[in-house]
C-alpha cells in the first residue's frame, strides 16, 4: 500500500468492467467467454462489479453487438500502430472515456483472455488504483530507457510501478487524466528504436506504468488480483485467470513448456475461430489451475447460445 494512500470515504465502490477488443474471431471468442463469467460472478457475495463494456476499436460494429454490451471507437490512423495492434488500447480508452456515459466511479481495465474465477471486490483505495505486479516488468533494470520518458526531476525510477494497464482498478477521473499521456508515451516509445527493441511486446505495459508515474499515481500491488497458468498452480482466492501462456503437458502430467505437449491448451491454437465445445481435460497430475481453466472454458462454451454458428460468421 503506497504511503500517501488517501482515505476512501463513503464513495460508491462499484467499478465498470471494460475490455478493449477487435472484431477478429480470435478476440471475439475470448470476449464471449470472458462476458459469460462476468455475468456469473457479478452479483455474487463479495463482488463490486458494475456494468460491462467491450470497447471495440475496429471502427465498426460486429455480430456480437447484441450479445455483449459494446462501445465502438476508432482505431489509430492507418500506419500509426506500426503493426503493433496493442497501441490501439490507450487510444480506445481515451475515446470511450470522452464519449461514453459511465455511471461507476471506478473502472477495471480487463482483457479478453481474462476469466473471473472469484467474485472481484474493488481493490483500489481512493486515489490509489490496484494493479497486478508482473514479474517481467522491471523499470529499475531498464533505468536508462525509462529515463527517456520519466526524467530524473520527476522522481526515482522506483516510482514507476512494475505493472501493465490490465488488470487495474482505477478511479475514472484518474484514468481520464492518465489516458492521453499513456497514448503519447506509447507512441513515443514505439518511435524510439532502442525502447522498441528493449520492451518489445510489453511496450504498451511500460507506457502505462510510466504515464501513471508521470501523474504521480502509485498502485497498490495485488498479487492475488490474477494468476497465470501454467506457472501459478492453484486458483485459491485469486480473482482472475489470465490464459496468455500455452499449457503443454505429457500424459504423466509433466509440463513440457516450449515443446508441444501430448495434451495442450493454448489460445493461439484458435487464431481463426473458437475452440470446440467439451475440450479434453488434462491428464492426472496437471495443476489445479490448468484443470480449472479448461473446465471454465468448457462451461462457457456449453452455455453460450450459438457458440459454433456465431463464431464461424
Amino acid at each position: 500500500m503506497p504511503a500517501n494512500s488517501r482515505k476512501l470515504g463513503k464513495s460508491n465502490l462499484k467499478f465498470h468492467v471494460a475490455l478493449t477488443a477487435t472484431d477478429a474471431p480470435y478476440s471475439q471468442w475470448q470476449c464471449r467467454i470472458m462476458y459469460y463469467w462476468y455475468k456469473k460472478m457479478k452479483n455474487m457475495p463479495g463482488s463490486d462489479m458494475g456494468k460491462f463494456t467491450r470497447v471495440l476499436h475496429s471502427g465498426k460494429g460486429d455480430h456480437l453487438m447484441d450479445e455483449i454490451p459494446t462501445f465502438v471507437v476508432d482505431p489509430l490512423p492507418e500506419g500509426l500502430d506500426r503493426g503493433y495492434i496493442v497501441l490501439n488500447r490507450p487510444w480506445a480508452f481515451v475515446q470511450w472515456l470522452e464519449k461514453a456515459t459511465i455511471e461507476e466511479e471506478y473502472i477495471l481495465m480487463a482483457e479478453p483472455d481474462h476469466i473471473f474465477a472469484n467474485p472481484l471486490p474493488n481493490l483500489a483505495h481512493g486515489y490509489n488504483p490496484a494493479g497486478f505486479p508482473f514479474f517481467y516488468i522491471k523499470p529499475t533494470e531498464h533505468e536508462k530507457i525509462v529515463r527517456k520518458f520519466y526524467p530524473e526531476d520527476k522522481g526515482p525510477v522506483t516510482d514507476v510501478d512494475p505493472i501493465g494497464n490490465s488488470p487495474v482498478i482505477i478511479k475514472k477521473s484518474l484514468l481520464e487524466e492518465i489516458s492521453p499521456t499513456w497514448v503519447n508515451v506509447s507512441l513515443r516509445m514505439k518511435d524510439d528504436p532502442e525502447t522498441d527493441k528493449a520492451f518489445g511486446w510489453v511496450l504498451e505495459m511500460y507506457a502505462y506504468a510510466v504515464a501513471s508515474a508521470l501523474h504521480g499515481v502509485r498502485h497498490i500491488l495485488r498479487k492475488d488480483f490474477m494468476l497465470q497458468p501454467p506457472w501459478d498452480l492453484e486458483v485459491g482466492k485469486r480473482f482472475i485467470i489470465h490464459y496468455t501462456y500455452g499449457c503443454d503437458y505429457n500424459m504423466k502430467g509433466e509440463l513440457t513448456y516450449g515443446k508441444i505437449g501430448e495434451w495442450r491448451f493454448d489460445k493461439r491454437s484458435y487464431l481463426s475461430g473458437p475452440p470446440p465445445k467439451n475440450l479434453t481435460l488434462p491428464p492426472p497430475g496437471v495443476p489445479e489451475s490448468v484443470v480449472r481453466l479448461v473446465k471454465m472454458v468448457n462451461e462457457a462454451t456449453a452455455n453460450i447460445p450459438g457458440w459454433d454458428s456465431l463464431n464461424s460468421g
Side-chain angles (χ1 to χ4, degrees), residues 195-258:
T195 306
D196 190 23
K197 186 179 177 192
F199 290 166
W201 65 275
V202 296
L203 180 145
E204 168 269 339
M205 296 171 72
Y206 273 102
Y208 174 78
V210 167
S212 50
L214 287 168
H215 286 269
V217 174
R218 299 301 307 274
H219 293 68
I220 302 159
L221 303 179
R222 295 285 303 237
K223 287 187 176 176
D224 60 344
F225 209 154
M226 193 164 79
L227 67 143
Q228 303 189 96
W231 311 115
D232 297 308
L233 306 181
E234 294 178 1
V235 174
K237 294 183 176 178
R238 287 180 275 200
F239 299 106
I240 292 170
I241 299 175
H242 182 213
Y243 57 97
T244 193
Y245 295 103
C247 300
D248 287 279
Y249 292 87
N250 63 26
M251 297 320 280
K252 296 178 190 167
E254 297 164 338
L255 184 66
T256 62
Y257 192 77

Side-chain angles (χ1 to χ4, degrees), residues 6-297:
R6 289 179 242 178
K7 285 285 177 273
L8 190 57
K10 293 282 187 189
S11 66
N12 179 6
L13 286 176
K14 290 272 187 217
F15 55 85
H16 195 104
V17 179
L19 75 158
T20 55
T22 73
D23 59 3
Y26 180 60
S27 178
Q28 288 173 330
W29 69 255
Q30 293 174 49
C31 289
R32 298 182 82 193
I33 291 172
M34 199 271 194
Y35 185 57
Y36 172 86
W37 283 103
Y38 155 81
K39 288 192 293 184
K40 279 207 78 166
M41 295 293 172
K42 178 180 185 286
N43 297 317
M44 289 181 72
S47 162
D48 286 319
M49 294 175 177
K51 292 182 177 175
F52 185 104
T53 302
R54 178 181 63 137
V55 184
L56 183 64
H57 54 74
S58 304
K60 61 185 190 303
D62 66 1
H63 63 264
L64 295 182
M65 302 287 285
D66 294 333
E67 179 179 329
I68 304 174
T70 299
F71 192 91
V72 178
V73 297
D74 291 325
L76 286 166
E78 197 168 351
L80 207 57
D81 67 6
R82 324 294 196 273
Y84 178 56
I85 195 135
V86 191
L87 284 187
N88 283 286
R89 184 177 292 148
W91 178 227
F93 273 112
V94 167
Q95 294 173 81
W96 177 63
L97 290 164
E98 197 176 286
K99 296 173 183 173
T101 303
I102 305 156
E103 295 169 9
E104 297 86 353
E105 281 188 42
Y106 291 85
I107 289 166
L108 164 68
M109 292 189 280
E111 293 181 22
D113 61 355
H114 288 176
I115 290 179
F116 293 110
N118 284 299
L120 180 59
N122 189 339
L123 304 175
H125 199 275
Y127 285 87
N128 289 112
F132 176 78
F134 287 90
F135 68 88
Y136 48 79
I137 302 293
K138 300 174 179 177
T140 51
E141 289 186 16
H142 293 284
E143 179 160 6
K144 178 170 168 278
I145 289 172
V146 169
R147 282 299 185 204
K148 292 183 179 188
F149 310 94
Y150 188 71
E152 286 191 25
D153 63 350
K154 288 289 184 184
V157 169
T158 50
D159 284 353
V160 180
D161 291 324
I163 58 167
N165 81 287
S166 179
V168 162
I169 298 176
I170 185 170
K171 239 184 179 339
K172 181 173 64 181
S173 56
L174 269 186
L175 188 57
E176 286 169 343
E177 290 173 27
I178 292 169
S179 291
T181 309
W182 177 22
V183 171
N184 291 334
V185 172
S186 297
L187 293 172
R188 283 172 53 214
M189 284 183 170
K190 193 68 185 166
D191 276 342
D192 182 73
E194 185 187 16
T195 306
D196 190 23
K197 186 179 177 192
F199 290 166
W201 65 275
V202 296
L203 180 145
E204 168 269 339
M205 296 171 72
Y206 273 102
Y208 174 78
V210 167
S212 50
L214 287 168
H215 286 269
V217 174
R218 299 301 307 274
H219 293 68
I220 302 159
L221 303 179
R222 295 285 303 237
K223 287 187 176 176
D224 60 344
F225 209 154
M226 193 164 79
L227 67 143
Q228 303 189 96
W231 311 115
D232 297 308
L233 306 181
E234 294 178 1
V235 174
K237 294 183 176 178
R238 287 180 275 200
F239 299 106
I240 292 170
I241 299 175
H242 182 213
Y243 57 97
T244 193
Y245 295 103
C247 300
D248 287 279
Y249 292 87
N250 63 26
M251 297 320 280
K252 296 178 190 167
E254 297 164 338
L255 184 66
T256 62
Y257 192 77
K259 176 176 170 243
I260 291 179
E262 295 171 89
W263 179 93
R264 77 180 321 223
F265 175 74
D266 186 340
K267 67 177 185 176
R268 291 164 198 82
S269 301
Y270 309 104
L271 289 171
S272 56
K277 292 180 179 182
N278 201 23
L279 293 167
T280 306
L281 292 178
V286 168
E288 182 260 352
S289 62
V290 179
V291 178
R292 180 92 173 268
L293 166 61
V294 177
K295 284 182 174 177
M296 292 183 88
V297 168

